[in-house]
Amino acid sequence: MGDVLAGIHATWELESDALVIRFDRGIRTPKLFHALRERRVPLEALASVTLTPGKRGTVVLHAVPRPGADPLMEAAAGQLKEGSDPYRLVLPAEREPLAEHYRDELRALLAAHAGAAGAAGYEAYEGYAPGDGGVEGVAPVDRFLVAPPTGPQSFKAYDGKATFDGTSEVAFRWSWTGASTEKWKAGDQVFSVRDLCGVEWRSPDGVDGYLRLVPRGGGPRAERPDEDPSCVVFGRYGPVHESLTFAAAVLAAIRGKDRVPVPVAAAGGERRDPGAVAERIRHLGELHQAGLVTDAEFSAKKAELLAEL
């Protein structure tokens, strides 16, 4: 179709089976939009589209994704500020007639597309009211329909650096200046995506922001994020555009992996990377020399690490 609508910070283009959102690279554009660059949203990933008055002489087109369709929005869990919502297109109020036409055209596409939530017609959904920002009664999807951020991801948190190789492994490397004693005793952490079942992201815009990896099978964990080795805390670090795209990429990888539990000791005699074990022993030795772990704790933990080789 190729219908294009340019707004403030973004441009929407309608295709026969998708809404393509391209984000500007201007200095006033939210950094999250810079990181996302462009998103192709299949029509089946959308629940509705609304048009409402905005602030200071603007109107806002809002494409509402279906629950479970977009890993970015699933990770954000409603914590994004309005200005950083990638599904909102802000336009000057004088362009409202054009925005109405675009809204109606997108709604028609949703109603006609067999896989879209709007295929049954908007009035079929209980509680729907134009302009309310969403559609009640739309069932969540069972898989992500919008592509996650791709490639390796990393960001600096207050108490360490988080890295993701883009497919199978997440690592936390603790900072001397920020990490708690509990995390230093545990050592740097490496997590297989196959051993995880979720990601908890609390926005760094708040005072208690963190990113926590949720292991499969549950089990006890530290109540405080700064004491949990499966968690990095943000403090004044971990900006939204880096930590949220990281969380979304990891969450998408988790959902895409085989969900059969992986034993701690693989049947084939799988071993830890000797370099990673040596690095953890080095950190343990530094803690021992600094008096943060006792002789007994040092010997026991070192033996445990050597047993992984």
Side-chain angles (χ1 to χ4, degrees):
M1 295 182 60
D3 291 345
V4 177
L5 182 63
I8 300 171
H9 303 320
T11 298
W12 285 11
E13 180 176 357
L14 276 182
E15 296 182 351
S16 60
D17 61 348
L19 171 65
V20 179
I21 305 174
R22 298 184 178 91
F23 300 102
D24 295 345
R25 303 283 290 173
I27 59 174
R28 296 181 180 275
T29 303
K31 290 183 177 180
L32 178 61
F33 294 177
H34 283 229
L36 296 175
R37 298 187 181 182
E38 177 178 318
R39 310 198 82 205
R40 189 178 189 277
V41 184
L43 295 181
E44 60 182 325
L46 295 176
S48 71
V49 58
T50 63
L51 178 63
T52 57
K55 299 176 181 178
R56 295 186 292 275
T58 62
V59 292
V60 179
L61 268 174
H62 187 199
V64 183
R66 295 172 69 181
D70 185 348
L72 187 87
M73 304 307 286
E74 289 295 297
Q79 299 173 76
L80 282 178
K81 295 179 179 179
E82 274 193 353
S84 295
D85 185 340
Y87 287 91
R88 296 174 78 252
L89 183 68
V90 182
L91 303 107
E94 59 266 24
R95 304 192 71 190
E96 183 172 0
L98 184 59
E100 287 179 344
H101 172 75
Y102 206 91
R103 177 202 60 192
D104 294 343
E105 190 166 2
L106 182 50
R107 284 183 174 179
L109 280 175
L110 290 178
H113 194 278
Y122 286 93
E123 305 305 326
Y125 296 110
E126 180 182 356
Y128 172 71
D132 69 356
V135 176
E136 295 182 8
V138 176
V141 294
D142 58 2
R143 62 186 177 87
F144 290 135
L145 301 172
V146 182
T150 58
Q153 304 275 327
S154 68
F155 70 92
K156 181 180 179 182
Y158 173 72
D159 60 355
K161 182 178 181 180
T163 59
F164 174 47
D165 64 4
T167 56
S168 60
E169 195 170 87
V170 182
F172 294 160
R173 182 180 178 87
W174 307 122
S175 163
W176 268 111
T177 56
S180 64
T181 300
E182 290 77 11
K183 289 184 176 179
W184 273 109
K185 285 184 178 181
D188 292 343
Q189 300 291 298
V190 178
F191 305 87
S192 170
V193 166
R194 293 182 64 194
D195 296 333
L196 303 174
C197 68
V199 179
E200 295 178 4
W201 182 79
R202 295 294 176 269
S203 175
D205 286 338
V207 296
D208 57 351
Y210 63 84
L211 182 145
R212 174 180 268 148
L213 302 176
V214 183
R216 296 165 71 179
R221 65 181 183 185
E223 182 176 346
R224 292 176 43 168
D226 64 328
E227 297 177 352
D228 186 351
S230 64
C231 180
V232 290
V233 297
F234 295 146
R236 61 184 182 277
Y237 297 95
V240 169
H241 69 285
E242 294 180 350
S243 61
L244 179 56
T245 53
F246 184 102
V250 174
L251 185 59
I254 291 171
R255 298 278 181 89
K257 288 292 183 182
D258 179 5
R259 305 309 296 267
V260 176
V262 178
V264 174
E270 182 180 339
R271 301 291 185 178
R272 291 277 188 178
D273 176 16
V277 173
E279 182 67 13
R280 292 184 65 184
I281 292 175
R282 182 184 70 79
H283 284 315
L284 186 64
E286 292 173 346
L287 289 172
H288 183 233
Q289 291 178 0
L292 296 175
V293 297
T294 66
D295 292 343
E297 289 174 328
F298 173 74
S299 298
K301 187 64 177 179
K302 182 178 179 181
E304 179 184 322
L305 291 170
L306 289 173
E308 296 180 3
L309 294 174

